[in-house]
Amino acid sequence: MLIARLGLLVAVLALWQLWSLAGLPEYILSPLEIARHFVAALGSRELYEHIGASLGRSLPGFAVGSALGIAFGLAAGMARWFDETFSPAVFMTYPVPKIVMLPLFMLWFGIGDLSKILIIALACFYPVFVNAYYGARSTPRILVWSAMNMGASRWRIFSRVVVPSALPLVFAGMRVSLALSFIVMFATEMINARSGLGYLIQIAENSLRFDLMYVSLVTIAILGYAGDHLLRAGRRRALAWQETHA
Amino acid sequence: MSRVRPFLLLGALLLAWELAARSGWWNQLLFPSLVDIADELVRFATAAEGWHEAWVSLYRALAGFALAAAVGVGLGMLMGRSELVAALLDPLFSGTYAVPKLALFPIFIFVFGLGSLSKVALIFLECLYPIVIITYQGARGVNRVLIWSAQNMGASRARIFARVVIPATVPFIFAGFRVALPVAMIVVIITEMISSIDGLGYVVIYALASLKTDRMLAAVVVIALLGLLLDRGLVLLRSRLVYWDRLETYYV
């Protein structure tokens, strides 16, 4: 499997490199050139500052959005009155692209980082909410009944029965949200920022610095990939019991 | 009571908004009154220009989505029914799944130009992933007993595909569409906000730059309605086509 995966990757890169020998337009660099520029950028402070600025926006946004999504989603999945008043508003605004709120957030919270973090949090809230909600709702009733029968308190049922059975879906929602947080982070930085990877790619484009454009692209790709892997590793740890039981 | 209850929270929020707008504590720019927004909305809907901007955005989103649907369903089906294709393509899709494709937009602008094409191409790419991955999941998981029975009864390969595999996969295909369609709307608005001279995303940015927040919010309302309508349309289409498999979600 690993060989197939690497084989295809190498084949694509080799074709691309060969194609560059035949002459590429100047806005498409060959893989070796990209690697060279990327390694060169790794030696500079500037790249780390942009990475720091970007992560300083996307991670707090992701954390806040996911935490609220989990809390509200589980609550809506468990408490009927809350479900009936809160969920419809969420499901009705679900297909609306949340990024349109960015200009308004910029007016309310300033053009600095706060408005970006909040818009990322808003975008991340939805997938986590929906998944936590369905996760809590799909808890097998028989488990809840057994726990009640054995005299478990409401809190104990929540923490020992509902949360574990909702966890796989919660992670699925967080995985979507994490990818979304990078997209929205990048978008907000391209629209309006003074730092960050989206800003870097924007100035690179305006000044025709194609090397910087690809450096930013490779960096965001690596960050997205690494974040996804970290989350999946966390999932494996948190759901270790699932592998053995299900 | 139960009929109005779903709208309780939204209604309360709108009321709070209007109170904030009328209170005079904040600048009118921060909380424009709902009346002003409605005014702008009417102006938007009665001017040919407004319909044109909405149509441009809708056209880009649907063009990218339709391309992704055609290619994605094909690829997903192939991957689900052929181990070779799956072994080749699955690493490609799952490996680049978490990479924000939006970062390719500046390059797409150079390759496809500043007009609609670069946006449609990016929408296509972003929508392709959920459609391929979910279709693949569905096509791979077709109940073997059904295929065996069909074979036993002497059905040809083409017939098995048309009568067993496709019906079993269609619910998944629609699940993929339902993830991809809002993505198409997100990407069209983002790309229009970043670089465009038309479309609803451009209207939002332009209204903000000219400090017309009521006009900006009217555009936001139009975008929201469009997103909602597309989703409703898709659900409706699904319930007509996949009548044997009811959607088990909260809000259909």
Side-chain angles (χ1 to χ4, degrees):
Chain A
M1 194 61 210
L2 190 70
I3 294 169
R5 192 177 284 233
L6 286 177
L8 187 76
L9 191 69
V10 170
V12 169
L13 289 179
L15 268 179
W16 185 354
Q17 188 69 39
L18 278 177
W19 185 28
S20 77
L21 292 178
L24 285 175
E26 62 170 336
Y27 47 79
I28 297 182
L29 304 185
S30 75
L32 286 179
E33 280 177 298
I34 295 173
R36 195 163 50 82
H37 290 307
F38 183 65
V39 171
L42 279 181
S44 71
R45 263 176 60 88
E46 206 197 347
L47 182 64
Y48 297 102
E49 282 168 8
H50 286 304
I51 293 175
S54 282
L55 288 183
R57 292 170 188 135
S58 70
L59 291 183
F62 170 68
V64 170
S66 305
L68 288 177
I70 293 173
F72 281 74
L74 290 180
M78 281 188 75
R80 200 183 172 128
W81 66 270
F82 188 65
D83 180 19
E84 284 176 352
T85 43
F86 190 75
S87 306
V90 176
F91 282 91
M92 266 189 273
T93 50
Y94 185 78
V96 179
K98 261 58 79 179
I99 188 83
V100 295
M101 297 302 283
L102 178 67
L104 196 65
F105 277 33
M106 283 178 358
L107 288 176
W108 285 352
F109 307 109
I111 55 170
D113 283 354
L114 185 61
S115 57
K116 298 184 179 65
I117 292 172
L118 287 175
I119 200 86
I120 294 168
L122 183 70
C124 288
F125 171 81
Y126 281 81
V128 178
F129 175 90
V130 172
N131 279 283
Y133 172 76
Y134 285 125
R137 271 174 67 109
S138 64
T139 308
R141 283 199 180 179
I142 196 120
L143 293 182
V144 178
W145 287 337
S146 328
M148 278 162 104
N149 236 354
M150 290 185 257
S153 65
R154 262 185 86 88
W155 168 252
R156 221 173 146 73
I157 292 178
F158 174 74
S159 64
R160 290 303 187 84
V161 180
V162 177
V163 169
S165 80
L167 216 49
L169 270 179
V170 168
F171 268 106
M174 281 171 71
R175 199 171 167 213
V176 176
S177 282
L178 188 65
L180 207 56
S181 76
F182 282 113
I183 295 176
V184 178
M185 176 263 283
F186 213 75
T188 58
E189 288 177 353
M190 283 177 86
I191 292 169
N192 159 288
R194 292 262 167 275
S195 60
L197 294 166
Y199 168 72
L200 182 65
I201 213 167
Q202 194 74 341
I203 52 165
E205 189 197 352
N206 290 338
S207 52
L208 299 182
R209 285 282 307 274
F210 297 112
D211 54 331
L212 276 185
M213 223 159 89
Y214 282 92
V215 165
S216 171
L217 180 65
V218 170
T219 311
I220 189 85
I222 292 174
L223 286 180
Y225 192 72
D228 194 49
H229 267 253
L230 272 179
L231 194 67
R232 274 157 66 183
R235 185 201 136 103
R236 267 197 297 280
R237 284 197 66 145
L239 295 176
W241 47 270
Q242 201 195 23
E243 250 77 40
T244 49
H245 287 278
Chain B
M1 183 63 196
S2 62
R3 283 194 71 89
V4 283
R5 204 151 173 192
F7 300 98
L8 223 55
L9 186 65
L10 282 180
L13 285 177
L14 289 179
L15 191 68
W17 178 288
E18 189 62 22
L19 285 178
R22 304 248 163 152
S23 69
W25 289 346
W26 290 281
N27 191 314
Q28 276 283 305
L29 277 176
L30 299 188
F31 285 102
S33 155
L34 294 180
V35 181
D36 292 340
I37 299 174
D39 236 27
E40 285 291 339
L41 207 54
V42 170
R43 188 175 307 171
F44 191 89
T46 47
E49 212 182 320
W51 287 96
H52 173 72
E53 305 290 5
W55 166 244
V56 167
S57 291
L58 192 65
Y59 162 76
R60 286 173 183 154
L62 287 182
F65 173 79
L67 278 175
V71 175
V73 168
L75 281 181
M77 282 284 197
L78 270 175
M79 284 165 73
R81 302 318 302 166
S82 151
E83 301 233 340
L84 178 72
V85 180
L88 276 176
L89 292 183
D90 189 36
L92 198 66
F93 278 103
S94 52
T96 53
Y97 172 77
V99 175
K101 266 67 74 180
L102 179 65
L104 286 170
F105 187 52
I107 296 167
F108 277 22
I109 290 181
F110 281 105
V111 180
F112 300 114
L114 275 165
S116 288
L117 195 57
S118 55
K119 298 175 181 71
V120 171
L122 192 71
I123 294 165
F124 163 75
L125 196 63
E126 285 271 17
C127 291
L128 189 64
Y129 279 75
I131 296 178
V132 166
I133 288 171
I134 301 177
T135 305
Y136 171 43
Q137 222 174 52
R140 193 174 46 171
V142 176
N143 193 344
R144 280 176 188 202
V145 175
L146 294 180
I147 295 181
W148 287 336
S149 333
Q151 277 172 345
N152 236 355
M153 290 184 259
S156 66
R157 273 181 76 94
R159 214 175 152 77
I160 292 178
F161 191 74
R163 289 303 187 86
V164 180
V165 176
I166 290 184
T169 316
V170 165
F172 286 85
I173 294 176
F174 269 96
F177 284 178
R178 216 164 160 213
V179 175
L181 201 52
V183 171
M185 280 305 286
I186 294 174
V187 178
V188 77
I189 299 301
I190 288 179
T191 52
E192 285 173 356
M193 283 170 91
I194 294 171
S195 114
S196 186
I197 48 160
D198 51 6
L200 292 169
Y202 169 75
V203 173
V204 169
I205 285 292
Y206 186 78
L208 176 74
S210 39
L211 287 178
K212 288 267 185 201
T213 33
D214 43 4
R215 185 168 301 167
M216 180 183 92
L217 285 167
V220 169
V221 171
V222 174
I223 293 167
L225 284 179
L226 220 52
L228 208 58
L229 278 178
L230 285 178
D231 190 57
R232 294 293 84 190
L234 196 61
V235 170
L236 211 67
L237 189 69
R238 186 197 189 277
S239 63
R240 300 283 311 246
L241 288 178
V242 200
Y243 50 84
W244 65 88
D245 182 75
R246 290 264 150 246
L247 209 53
E248 293 249 349
T249 52
Y250 179 85
Y251 222 76
V252 224

